[in-house]
């Protein structure tokens, strides 16, 4: 990253939380811009847009303006821009934010399907996402790592990690308070 920033960026797909912007572009124009900025052109770009739209079920919105989309459709457009160049690393911040239950499951399935050949960093406050998607969870409290394990190992008898999360965060806060 320090020696060749542009090359490093080409290996990363990023989905920001609460993505917005480009309101006057259509989804197709937005994805074209994103693909071109990542070095795609011509037939490769057209194929990447088609493949990506198929993966995130976005084809019906290609000719709609970004500003006219619901939060869920906009989230899918931004997810599409993150994966359009098929990067080996994905950084996804709240990838299912604003999606209905069926769309959430579709995004989870997509993440699971590409996880075998990609490094995926998923940032979420929704513990269900970690339980459903992740094979490793790092819990950070106040900038400090308080756990690094599998969700399965963190889970209670019902398969939920909320209890462990609460205990870890409270314990971390108590330790910080005692050190102060």
């Amino acid at each position: 990253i320090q020696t060749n920033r542009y090359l490093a960026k080409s290996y990363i797909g990023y989905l920001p939380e609460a993505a917005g912007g480009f309101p006057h572009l259509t989804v197709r124009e937005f994805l074209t811009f994103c693909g071109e900025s990542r070095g795609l052109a011509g037939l490769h770009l057209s194929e990447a847009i088609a493949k990506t739209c198929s993966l995130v079920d976005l084809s019906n919105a290609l000719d709609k303006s970004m500003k006219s989309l619901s939060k869920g459709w906009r989230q899918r457009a931004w997810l599409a821009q993150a994966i359009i160049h098929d990067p080996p690393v994905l950084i996804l911040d709240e990838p299912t934010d604003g999606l209905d239950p069926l769309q959430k499951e579709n995004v989870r399935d997509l993440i699971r399907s590409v996880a075998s050949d990609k490094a995926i960093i998923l940032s979420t406050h929704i513990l269900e996402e970690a339980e459903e998607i992740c094979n490793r969870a790092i819990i950070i409290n106040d900038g400090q790592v308080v756990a690094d394990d599998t969700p399965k190992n963190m889970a209670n008898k019902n398969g939920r990690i909320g209890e462990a999360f609460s205990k870890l965060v409270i314990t971390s806060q108590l330790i910080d308070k005692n050190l102060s």
Side-chain angles (χ1 to χ4, degrees), residues 20-128:
F22 304 94
H24 300 295
L25 296 181
T26 65
V27 172
R28 184 185 316 275
E29 291 166 339
F30 173 64
L31 294 178
T32 298
F33 168 75
C34 294
E36 287 174 347
S37 71
R38 292 182 175 114
L40 298 173
L43 183 59
H44 293 295
L45 177 59
S46 297
E47 289 173 348
I49 290 172
K51 179 182 176 185
T52 301
C53 286
S54 176
L55 285 172
V56 299
D57 192 24
L58 193 60
S59 299
N60 291 340
L62 275 172
D63 296 314
K64 295 182 180 178
S65 69
M66 294 289 285
K67 70 179 173 187
S68 72
L69 300 177
S70 68
K71 186 175 183 180
W73 281 99
R74 199 168 40 253
Q75 184 75 354
R76 286 193 272 171
W78 278 86
L79 177 57
Q81 70 76 34
I83 64 174
I84 195 166
H85 60 302
D86 195 24
V89 177
L90 289 174
I91 301 172
L92 308 174
D93 192 356
E94 305 289 357
T96 61
D97 185 41
L99 302 180
D100 68 35
L102 182 58
Q103 292 170 338
K104 282 184 182 188
E105 194 53 41
N106 289 341
V107 169
R108 289 174 184 160
D109 288 344
L110 171 65
I111 292 169
R112 285 185 205 104
S113 73
V114 301
S116 63
D117 63 317
K118 294 188 185 309
I120 302 173
I121 299 170
L122 176 82
S123 174
T124 186
H125 293 90
I126 304 168
L127 298 180
E128 177 185 322

Side-chain angles (χ1 to χ4, degrees), residues 133-145:
I133 300 173
C134 299
N135 58 21
R136 178 177 171 199
I138 299 172
I139 297 175
I140 300 171
N141 182 52
D142 200 25
Q144 300 295 314
V145 173

Side-chain angles (χ1 to χ4, degrees), residues 135-163:
N135 58 21
R136 178 177 171 199
I138 299 172
I139 297 175
I140 300 171
N141 182 52
D142 200 25
Q144 300 295 314
V145 173
V146 296
D148 182 352
D149 206 340
T150 66
K152 184 177 179 179
N153 286 342
M154 291 182 194
N156 64 15
K157 64 183 179 209
N158 298 319
R160 309 303 295 209
I161 63 174
E163 187 179 321

